[in-house]
Amino acid sequence: MTETEQGSYVEPGEFKRDTNYITTRITADGRDGYPAEPGRYRLVAARACPWANRTLIVRRLLGLESAISLGLCGPTHDKLSWTFDLDPGGIDPVLRIHRLRDAYLARFPGYPRGITVPAVVDVLTGQVVTNDYAQITLDFSLEWTAYQRAGAPELYPEPLRSEIDEVDARVFREVNNGVYRCGFAGAQDAYDAAYDRLFTALDWLSDRLSGQRYLVGDTITEADVRLFTTLVRFDPVYHGHFKCNRSKLTEMPVLWAYARDLFQTPGFGDTIDFTQIKDHYYQVHTDINPTQIVPKGPELSNWLSPHHRETLGGRPFGDGTPPGPPVPGEEVPAGHGAR
């Protein structure tokens, strides 16, 4: 999603985010009319978008590539919609559409809200099923178990769900959305308040993670996925572009080591396209960056430096195993990742 596509807006003062999504769910029992069936659905995402990036990571970790196909939009878009600029002729090869908007309108003619990624589309009808990004990843974990790979980790284990939900709520409010409140604040006092809230939360996370490897429990969970996609964009985008500049991620030792630990874990860093991330933010947000100049920095090879977080213990995948390499055709282009 982007700010304008999400229906978010800037009024004098605080940035607001529209959180009304298409809440239809794909479930094992098909109670909303959409049963979990391999080959029936296509996940439409963009590597640039942090909200869509979550679905790419969870799909990789759970090994759902063969069950749910992937369509990738380019890093920029026109005023109407995300577009399939990366595909030959600008047409998604499965859905046969140029704009994701077409799938929304196929189900909801005159759809009044933003055309956002991620979205799951029913290949049979060409209609969008859901764009409720938070529920999509939870349902990948809970409703698609029959089609997950052998050794898939539990990202939302039942004994930890209440704690995961509590952490996720604060991370969304103060960090995931907090960087946007800084970047799109419409007044100085609103920016100052958003800035203080963001770094108060980052300090809280640093304290929490100083003595434990992962956010909740001793394995990777949904909470880590949700925090990671903001942290990985912090220095390339949020520090400068969104004025979140008290400290760079590389200047916050605990969070920097934590982020590198996840980045170097299969399923995380191999979904990150820094080139598309920078192209999106700096070229699309012309109200913030009217020249559309994309910065060359920062240095990215340090993402591969030792993190030493393994000394805190923990088992990344619990009783499961790491995912294999990205499936052919879904690799991040050479030169677009850490190098």
Side-chain angles (χ1 to χ4, degrees):
M1 71 184 71
T2 66
E3 292 67 43
T4 51
E5 288 173 331
Q6 185 50 36
S8 306
Y9 58 92
V10 178
E11 60 185 8
E14 186 179 359
F15 165 81
K16 304 290 184 180
R17 181 178 295 281
D18 181 351
T19 55
N20 292 295
Y21 303 102
I22 302 168
T23 57
T24 309
R25 293 176 59 191
I26 300 168
T27 57
D29 63 6
R31 57 186 175 272
D32 284 358
Y34 294 96
E37 297 176 359
R40 176 168 173 177
Y41 304 100
R42 188 160 179 83
L43 171 64
V44 178
R47 293 196 187 277
C49 172
W51 318 92
N53 196 171
R54 300 174 178 191
T55 62
L56 299 178
I57 292 170
V58 171
R59 177 175 171 270
R60 281 269 294 120
L61 294 178
L62 299 179
L64 289 172
E65 294 97 330
S66 62
I68 305 168
S69 69
L70 177 63
L72 287 174
C73 298
T76 61
H77 51 74
D78 59 28
K79 292 182 179 180
L80 293 177
S81 176
W82 289 90
T83 52
F84 294 96
D85 301 332
L86 306 176
D87 293 308
I91 303 294
D92 180 88
V94 173
L95 301 175
R96 307 304 303 170
I97 56 177
H98 174 58
R99 290 184 172 87
L100 177 57
R101 179 174 183 262
D102 296 339
Y104 279 70
L105 296 181
R107 184 175 176 200
F108 302 107
Y111 183 74
R113 316 197 79 87
I115 306 300
T116 63
V117 290
V120 181
V121 179
D122 182 2
V123 175
L124 295 177
T125 63
Q127 298 178 357
V128 67
V129 178
T130 181
N131 65 347
D132 188 353
Y133 65 91
Q135 192 62 50
I136 288 171
T137 52
L138 294 180
D139 284 343
F140 281 178
S141 284
L142 302 179
E143 303 294 337
W144 287 82
T145 54
Y147 307 106
Q148 294 171 7
R149 66 179 176 88
E154 280 194 84
L155 299 178
Y156 195 50
E158 189 168 4
L160 299 178
R161 285 178 195 171
S162 61
E163 186 177 359
I164 292 171
D165 291 346
E166 181 180 351
V167 170
D168 283 348
R170 184 169 182 182
V171 167
F172 168 77
R173 186 176 61 249
E174 308 297 335
V175 180
N176 300 145
N177 198 43
V179 294
Y180 290 89
R181 281 203 311 272
C182 290
F184 288 91
Q188 186 69 50
D189 58 350
Y191 164 75
D192 291 346
Y195 176 101
D196 291 341
R197 287 176 62 180
L198 169 64
F199 283 99
T200 295
L202 291 175
D203 289 342
W204 165 69
L205 288 164
S206 291
D207 289 344
R208 184 181 182 94
L209 288 164
S210 63
Q212 62 189 63
R213 190 171 180 185
Y214 303 111
L215 275 175
V216 181
D218 66 350
T219 65
I220 291 167
T221 67
E222 177 82 14
D224 299 294
V225 175
R226 296 188 183 197
L227 177 58
F228 172 78
T229 59
T230 295
L231 294 183
V232 79
R233 288 162 173 79
F234 202 89
D235 286 5
V237 175
Y238 303 142
H239 178 269
H241 185 57
F242 279 179
K243 307 180 186 71
C244 302
N245 61 354
R246 187 198 75 178
S247 311
K248 295 178 181 177
L249 177 66
T250 54
E251 296 167 346
M252 294 182 273
V254 172
L255 290 180
W256 173 225
Y258 166 80
R260 296 200 318 280
D261 186 5
L262 291 177
F263 187 90
Q264 294 170 33
T265 299
F268 283 83
D270 52 36
T271 72
I272 300 302
D273 188 319
F274 285 113
T275 298
Q276 289 194 22
I277 288 169
K278 293 197 298 181
D279 285 350
H280 171 74
Y281 283 91
Y282 287 102
Q283 292 184 34
V284 170
H285 300 159
T286 55
D287 46 348
I288 297 177
N289 187 41
T291 65
Q292 298 182 291
I293 293 172
V294 180
K296 292 184 70 172
E299 170 60 38
L300 298 172
S301 62
N302 52 4
W303 278 98
L304 302 177
S305 63
H307 53 76
H308 306 299
R309 293 281 293 178
E310 66 278 0
T311 61
L312 294 172
R315 302 176 301 144
F317 299 99
D319 295 330
T321 58
V327 300
E330 294 188 7
E331 305 95 340
V332 171
H336 285 210
R339 51 193 181 278

